[in-house]
Amino acid sequence: MNKWYIEKGTEGDVVLSTRIRFARNLDDYPFPSKLDKKGKSEICALVRDALTGDGDSGFGYIDMNTLTPSQAVSLAERHLISPEFTTEREGRALLLTEDESVSIMVCEEDHIRLQVMKSGLSLNEAFDIADKIDNVLDSKLCYAFDERIGYLTQCPTNLGTAMRASVMLHLPALTATGKISGIASTVSKLGLTIRGAYGEGSSARGCIYQMSNRITLGITEQAALDNLSAITLQIAAQERAAQSLLLRNPAEEDKVFRAAGILKNARLLSGDEFMELISLVRMGTARGVFDFPLEKINELIVNMQPATINAAHGKNLEPSERDAIRAKGVREVLEIRC
Amino acid sequence: MNKWYIEKGTEGDVVLSTRIRFARNLDDYPFPSKLDKKGKSEICALVRDALTGDGDSGFGYIDMNTLTPSQAVSLAERHLISPEFTTEREGRALLLTEDESVSIMVCEEDHIRLQVMKSGLSLNEAFDIADKIDNVLDSKLCYAFDERIGYLTQCPTNLGTAMRASVMLHLPALTATGKISGIASTVSKLGLTIRGAYGEGSSARGCIYQMSNRITLGITEQAALDNLSAITLQIAAQERAAQSLLLRNPAEEDKVFRAAGILKNARLLSGDEFMELISLVRMGTARGVFDFPLEKINELIVNMQPATINAAHGKNLEPSERDAIRAKGVREVLEIRC
């Protein structure tokens, strides 16, 4: 089965992906930070049985403790789990569909972190899928819910809808022109946050940013989705215009072609250089400079992350070995026509 | 008719070309620096008639004064005339065969500077051609010749055979490993000089060096040629071994492939960057990393020099225009398979 990120999404030239995340907790248990090993195990079993008890649910169940560090970090690189979920794995579990579009972390910060990913800008579709799975869980488990506040969560910033909707944006031109900082401060006033691809504190490697709603209390899910969607469309339009303008500059156009030339020929590629160059090639592809499927570039960005390469090779590779494998992997995929 | 440098020469992976140059002066005239315009014109006519008087000699006659600066500098870039010959063009002429393998500067430092170029290492062949033309001139003109000393020349360092034999060497690996300076001092003790491609004081752009005999007095032409040939073969063997060793280093191999990638994709290429990258690609081609004819690379090195690009376009281009034309020209030629 193809992974979700292989598909071409709406507004896909700028919007890599959409993610909806619900935080849920069970009424009868303390929050995970106050739970012992036995309590966590009970919750893992409860959630697993609620989802998979009726036969083929489409979910696989992974006891996080059974994974190697590379396998765990690879899941985080693919945004299927949070980086925090990789470090402490005792008493934690992951439910995952085969196409990796739906993942449920059990006993992360909250008892349940349900997440749905879709290619491109697809907030309502992702929400509908999350909502359906949430209804199944709700019918079998007793959620911690307050009529006045909404869903109760360990961290007060998630109280209410307990929904975090986010889009992953590729903004090379707004980054190159320095406009991104102005945009970040504007969207902040509109209740949104822009940060690096791997969340709080992470840098925007390859000019990939994550924009998400900050407000969960006193707002409906639909209002939050509509707000995020409208602002995403505006930023995408700005990015497109900035890309077109940038590529009319011969020196910038040259950079894009050189990036393709290096990626198609290098024998060693560090992760940082790969992200820098693939970002330029992705921009060229988005604006029609190259005749190449964007989805293949998106897939490459996922597959060429360090732990994902390690996991694919079943061992912890030396950085120099990984640089050679990355360069080979990139050459095999990129047959850009220009 | 193909230019001489299109041909594949002996030892061509390291030796780009061979040049034999004879300096000759007429007995009845002062050296050029002491000649007025009328005297120079007389000599130009005498040399022209001596060579072309008997019908089709294969030589074209160019009054240097009729050339644009770009056309003149382009001749120097192709090593057909000396850089000095481009600056002061009054009363000077050039005789040139269509394949550009034989050129005769009239009223350069000496009355006659006869030069023969061949691809690869080809000292005896080039000497034979020069010798034949020299015999024709000798039979019609009265050379300044002293039985004891030999040919008389304006500069005392050329007295005797008045022959300068040189080879153009591509030595990227001996340059990269820093061995070139030791070699330069060794060959100096053996009566040879290594310097940049454009003679005294020029730098070795693209790791291209010119090695020539320094001694013209008290030595036969054949002894000078044999000495230069033997040392060239030794250096070529050293360079080959150094190249093979260098290319076994993954980081150096990576550089060679990246250079090819950039040259095949860049939209802007400065002359300096072009020389740096084509040098790496030439080394890769010489050692079989790329399946590509070396002659095409040699031709590119000639055709992508600044004044040669200007001359081909019939005008003085802005550097940025030229960088775009160079990048296009390189892309059209390089279809390296690897």
Side-chain angles (χ1 to χ4, degrees):
Chain A
M1 183 183 277
N2 280 339
K3 305 299 183 201
W4 66 269
Y5 46 79
I6 311 270
E7 279 163 41
K8 193 173 158 66
T10 317
E11 311 281 323
D13 56 340
V14 176
V15 187
L16 284 124
S17 62
T18 294
R19 178 161 55 154
I20 296 287
R21 195 211 67 202
F22 292 168
R24 300 290 184 258
N25 288 280
L26 306 192
D27 209 17
D28 305 332
Y29 289 85
F31 290 128
S33 63
K34 299 283 178 190
L35 268 182
D36 60 9
K37 195 180 159 188
K38 181 171 162 290
K40 289 184 184 177
S41 293
E42 283 176 32
I43 296 200
C44 287
L46 280 171
V47 175
R48 183 192 59 205
D49 294 345
L51 260 187
T52 65
D54 297 338
D56 187 19
S57 63
F59 281 94
Y61 179 87
I62 301 164
D63 180 340
M64 287 301 290
N65 235 350
T66 64
L67 298 183
T68 66
S70 282
Q71 288 172 325
V73 175
S74 172
L75 291 170
E77 286 176 349
R78 286 177 279 156
H79 301 283
L80 301 171
I81 62 174
S82 61
E84 298 72 37
F85 208 57
T86 65
T87 46
E88 179 54 48
R89 303 205 295 281
E90 186 71 39
R92 290 176 156 181
L94 176 71
L95 287 142
L96 186 63
T97 56
E98 204 184 339
D99 72 350
E100 299 183 354
S101 68
V102 185
S103 60
I104 299 169
M105 289 184 281
V106 189
C107 292
E108 207 245 18
E109 188 180 286
D110 295 295
H111 293 149
I112 295 171
R113 285 279 177 112
L114 161 62
Q115 163 186 298
V116 175
M117 293 190 80
K118 294 281 283 178
S119 218
L121 179 61
S122 200
L123 286 160
N124 288 323
E125 293 83 343
F127 178 83
D128 287 346
I129 296 169
D131 193 42
K132 270 189 197 124
I133 299 166
D134 187 43
N135 288 341
V136 171
L137 290 170
D138 197 11
S139 70
K140 310 235 172 144
L141 303 167
C142 188
Y143 278 168
F145 183 81
D146 179 276
E147 283 300 331
R148 206 169 49 91
I149 297 174
Y151 294 102
L152 301 180
T153 56
Q154 176 158 315
C155 180
T157 59
N158 291 320
L159 284 174
T161 61
M163 177 188 83
R164 186 79 71 217
S166 67
V167 286
M168 204 72 86
L169 303 171
H170 183 225
L171 306 175
L174 293 174
T175 305
T177 56
K179 288 185 185 157
I180 189 70
S181 56
I183 289 171
S185 86
T186 304
V187 304
S188 176
K189 291 173 196 147
L190 301 167
L192 302 180
T193 300
I194 290 190
R195 49 194 186 179
Y198 291 98
E200 248 167 306
S202 72
S203 66
R205 284 176 81 217
C207 303
I208 296 175
Y209 298 84
Q210 183 176 304
M211 182 165 71
S212 60
N213 66 317
R214 215 174 42 238
I215 299 161
T216 52
L217 204 55
I219 186 173
T220 64
E221 282 95 344
Q222 193 57 53
L225 296 179
D226 291 348
N227 184 39
L228 179 59
S229 179
I231 295 169
T232 299
L233 288 173
Q234 278 184 36
I235 292 177
Q238 283 183 52
E239 172 63 25
R240 261 173 223 128
Q243 287 184 2
S244 297
L245 198 65
L246 203 66
L247 288 170
R248 280 206 285 276
N249 177 337
E252 298 291 335
E253 187 203 25
D254 181 53
K255 269 193 208 167
V256 166
F257 278 106
R258 282 167 182 254
I262 294 172
L263 288 179
K264 282 160 66 179
N265 288 277
R267 261 52 189 171
L268 295 172
L269 269 180
S270 74
D272 283 343
E273 190 189 13
F274 164 72
M275 286 302 287
E276 190 189 314
L277 299 178
I278 200 76
S279 172
L280 288 165
V281 169
R282 195 181 190 283
M283 172 167 68
T285 308
R287 293 283 70 75
V289 173
F290 304 120
D291 174 17
F292 192 75
L294 265 180
E295 310 86 80
K296 282 204 173 285
I297 292 179
N298 297 349
E299 189 183 359
L300 210 47
I301 292 173
V302 171
N303 287 340
M304 293 300 129
Q305 298 306 318
T308 301
I309 293 177
N310 280 350
H313 281 73
K315 62 175 174 175
N316 275 323
L317 299 155
E318 291 294 313
S320 64
E321 292 178 279
R322 203 159 52 219
D323 289 353
I325 289 170
R326 183 181 290 112
K328 189 161 184 284
V330 169
R331 287 202 309 281
E332 283 168 359
V333 169
L334 288 189
E335 305 208 348
I336 286 171
R337 291 169 292 275
C338 61
Chain B
M1 182 183 277
N2 279 340
K3 305 300 184 201
W4 67 268
Y5 46 78
I6 311 273
E7 279 164 40
K8 192 172 155 69
T10 317
E11 310 281 325
D13 56 339
V14 175
V15 188
L16 283 124
S17 61
T18 295
R19 177 161 57 153
I20 297 287
R21 194 210 67 200
F22 292 170
R24 300 290 184 258
N25 288 280
L26 306 192
D27 210 15
D28 304 333
Y29 289 83
F31 289 127
S33 64
K34 298 286 179 187
L35 268 182
D36 59 9
K37 194 179 158 186
K38 182 171 160 290
K40 289 184 183 175
S41 292
E42 284 176 29
I43 297 198
C44 287
L46 280 170
V47 175
R48 181 192 59 205
D49 294 345
L51 260 188
T52 64
D54 298 338
D56 186 19
S57 63
F59 281 95
Y61 179 87
I62 300 164
D63 180 342
M64 287 302 289
N65 235 350
T66 64
L67 299 182
T68 64
S70 281
Q71 288 173 324
V73 176
S74 171
L75 290 169
E77 286 176 351
R78 285 176 281 157
H79 301 284
L80 301 170
I81 62 174
S82 61
E84 299 72 37
F85 209 57
T86 64
T87 47
E88 177 54 48
R89 304 204 297 279
E90 186 69 39
R92 290 176 156 181
L94 176 70
L95 287 141
L96 186 62
T97 57
E98 203 185 340
D99 72 350
E100 298 184 352
S101 68
V102 186
S103 61
I104 300 170
M105 288 184 280
V106 189
C107 293
E108 207 246 17
E109 188 179 287
D110 297 294
H111 294 148
I112 296 170
R113 285 278 178 110
L114 161 61
Q115 163 186 296
V116 175
M117 294 190 81
K118 295 281 283 176
S119 217
L121 179 62
S122 199
L123 285 160
N124 289 323
E125 294 83 343
F127 178 82
D128 289 345
I129 296 168
D131 194 41
K132 271 188 196 128
I133 299 166
D134 188 42
N135 288 341
V136 171
L137 290 169
D138 198 10
S139 69
K140 310 237 171 140
L141 303 166
C142 188
Y143 277 168
F145 184 82
D146 179 275
E147 283 301 334
R148 207 171 47 91
I149 297 174
Y151 294 101
L152 302 180
T153 55
Q154 177 159 310
C155 180
T157 59
N158 292 320
L159 285 173
T161 61
M163 179 189 81
R164 187 79 71 216
S166 67
V167 286
M168 204 73 86
L169 304 171
H170 183 224
L171 306 175
L174 293 174
T175 304
T177 56
K179 288 185 184 156
I180 189 70
S181 57
I183 290 171
S185 87
T186 303
V187 303
S188 176
K189 292 174 195 146
L190 302 167
L192 303 181
T193 301
I194 289 189
R195 48 194 185 180
Y198 291 97
E200 246 167 306
S202 72
S203 66
R205 283 175 81 217
C207 303
I208 296 175
Y209 298 84
Q210 183 176 305
M211 181 165 73
S212 60
N213 67 316
R214 212 170 49 235
I215 299 160
T216 53
L217 205 54
I219 187 172
T220 64
E221 282 94 343
Q222 194 56 55
L225 296 179
D226 290 348
N227 186 40
L228 180 58
S229 179
I231 295 168
T232 299
L233 288 173
Q234 278 184 36
I235 292 176
Q238 283 182 52
E239 172 63 26
R240 259 172 224 129
Q243 287 184 4
S244 297
L245 199 64
L246 203 65
L247 288 170
R248 279 206 284 277
N249 177 335
E252 298 290 336
E253 186 203 26
D254 180 53
K255 269 193 208 167
V256 166
F257 278 105
R258 282 166 181 254
I262 294 172
L263 289 179
K264 283 159 67 179
N265 287 277
R267 261 52 189 171
L268 295 172
L269 268 180
S270 74
D272 283 344
E273 190 190 12
F274 165 71
M275 287 302 288
E276 190 190 314
L277 298 178
I278 199 76
S279 172
L280 289 165
V281 169
R282 195 182 190 285
M283 172 167 69
T285 309
R287 292 283 70 75
V289 174
F290 304 120
D291 175 17
F292 193 73
L294 264 180
E295 311 85 81
K296 283 204 173 283
I297 292 178
N298 297 349
E299 190 184 358
L300 209 47
I301 291 173
V302 170
N303 288 340
M304 293 299 128
Q305 298 306 318
T308 301
I309 292 176
N310 281 350
H313 281 74
K315 61 174 176 176
N316 276 322
L317 300 156
E318 291 293 315
S320 64
E321 292 178 279
R322 203 159 52 220
D323 289 353
I325 290 170
R326 184 181 290 112
K328 189 161 183 284
V330 169
R331 287 202 309 279
E332 283 168 1
V333 170
L334 288 189
E335 305 207 347
I336 287 171
R337 291 170 291 277
C338 62

